[in-house]
Amino acid sequence: MTKLSVNINKIATLRNARGGNVPDLLQVAKDIQQFGAHGITIHPRPDERHIRYQDARDLKPIIHTEFNIEGNPQHNFIDLVLEIKPTQVTLVPDAIGAITSSAGWNTVEHQAYLKEVIQEFQRNNIRTSIFVDPVLDMIEGAKATGTDRIELYTEAYAHQYGQGNESAIKPYILAAELANELELGINAGHDLSLDNIHFFKQNIPGLLEVSIGHALICESLYLGLDNVINMYLNKLK
């Protein structure tokens, strides 16, 4: 089945809103794994407004599934990833101060830089993934960087599917087919939810992993975290 990695940034946001340690980020990460999720994702940003760099260090010894760290490969981020050595690092071209990710890499324009960074991570036995739009030139560019995987940026799909436009899946199918031909692993994330995840999973060949945070945490407010994680797992089979 497609693996589910749960992004816990929103848990950190809630904790930081009041100070202290409620909710306890580490305990939530333990619980999420116990409930059946295949991994934990964090996305520390330079201002540490949700996940803090120290959180990444504290999480390392308690994650017994997959540990995925996302972020823009600036110097502090690179140093953090090399220190922690997570299962996977996902490179995302976030602007400083961005509310959330809004686009994939231009893997042609930034190919040389990405290749250099990816080689450093791979020398340290860290699986690499690049956040990309479902554009064939960007998939080919990703292959040229030497990355292990791509993560398809699914905001456009989620928005259009929510308006009843199932044809929004087509660019993602083409991108996935090309990635499979190029022997690139395929991850996906951004605005995936219980409403749209099953259709996406059904149509994307070779989908290895999805990273879901915002929708999953929002859904859990009504339905419960244990219940929602297992609802996702059923849809990803």
Side-chain angles (χ1 to χ4, degrees):
M1 66 180 292
T2 299
K3 291 184 176 181
L4 171 66
S5 186
V6 177
N7 186 316
I8 58 173
N9 277 25
K10 285 295 182 293
I11 302 299
T13 300
L14 186 59
R15 174 199 62 187
N16 296 352
R18 288 288 296 270
N21 195 39
V22 178
D24 184 332
L25 188 79
L26 302 186
Q27 186 59 50
V28 172
K30 291 177 183 177
D31 292 339
I32 286 170
Q33 293 173 99
Q34 182 180 348
F35 297 155
H38 304 105
I40 299 292
T41 291
I42 60 172
H43 189 147
R45 287 185 166 85
D47 60 8
E48 298 186 282
R49 65 180 181 271
H50 31 64
I51 290 291
R52 301 166 182 154
Y53 275 37
Q54 187 58 45
D55 291 330
R57 299 182 179 98
D58 293 341
L59 283 162
K60 171 65 175 179
I62 70 164
I63 296 178
H64 58 80
T65 55
E66 291 192 355
F67 193 9
N68 175 43
I69 302 182
E70 300 180 340
N72 194 322
Q74 299 171 345
H75 292 301
N76 288 347
F77 179 83
I78 292 172
D79 291 343
L80 178 72
V81 172
L82 291 176
E83 173 190 344
I84 294 171
K85 293 183 172 62
T87 316
Q88 176 175 266
V89 58
T90 301
L91 307 182
V92 182
D94 286 333
I96 293 176
I99 295 175
T100 187
S101 306
S102 58
W105 283 98
N106 184 326
T107 58
V108 175
E109 180 179 344
H110 300 288
Q111 189 173 115
Y113 178 64
L114 289 169
K115 185 174 184 177
E116 179 183 355
V117 172
I118 287 165
Q119 286 177 342
E120 180 64 20
F121 289 141
Q122 290 174 336
R123 278 194 292 269
N124 285 270
N125 298 313
I126 303 168
R127 188 174 71 226
T128 59
S129 180
I130 301 178
F131 199 60
V132 293
D133 295 300
V135 177
L136 300 187
D137 287 347
M138 297 302 106
I139 308 301
E140 291 176 346
K143 176 63 178 179
T145 68
T147 190
D148 301 298
R149 297 187 182 186
I150 56 170
E151 179 174 329
L152 293 172
Y153 172 44
T154 50
E155 190 275 336
Y157 158 75
H159 176 71
Q160 291 295 321
Y161 183 83
Q163 296 183 333
N165 179 16
E166 293 187 353
S167 65
I169 196 70
K170 290 180 180 179
Y172 294 88
I173 295 172
L174 295 174
E177 289 174 345
L178 177 58
N180 286 325
E181 290 176 15
L182 296 174
E183 298 183 337
L184 286 170
I186 303 169
N187 299 339
H190 204 89
D191 287 350
L192 294 174
S193 69
L194 285 174
D195 292 332
N196 59 42
I197 186 66
H198 185 61
F199 185 77
F200 189 82
K201 155 68 178 173
Q202 280 185 312
N203 285 279
I204 300 303
L207 181 62
L208 297 175
E209 178 181 294
V210 292
S211 175
I212 304 178
H214 183 79
L216 188 151
I217 299 304
C218 291
E219 290 156 347
S220 297
L221 292 176
Y222 285 92
L223 301 172
L225 187 57
D226 186 358
N227 184 40
V228 165
I229 286 173
N230 281 279
M231 291 170 74
Y232 273 101
L233 295 176
N234 284 331
K235 290 177 181 289
L236 289 168
K237 286 180 179 176

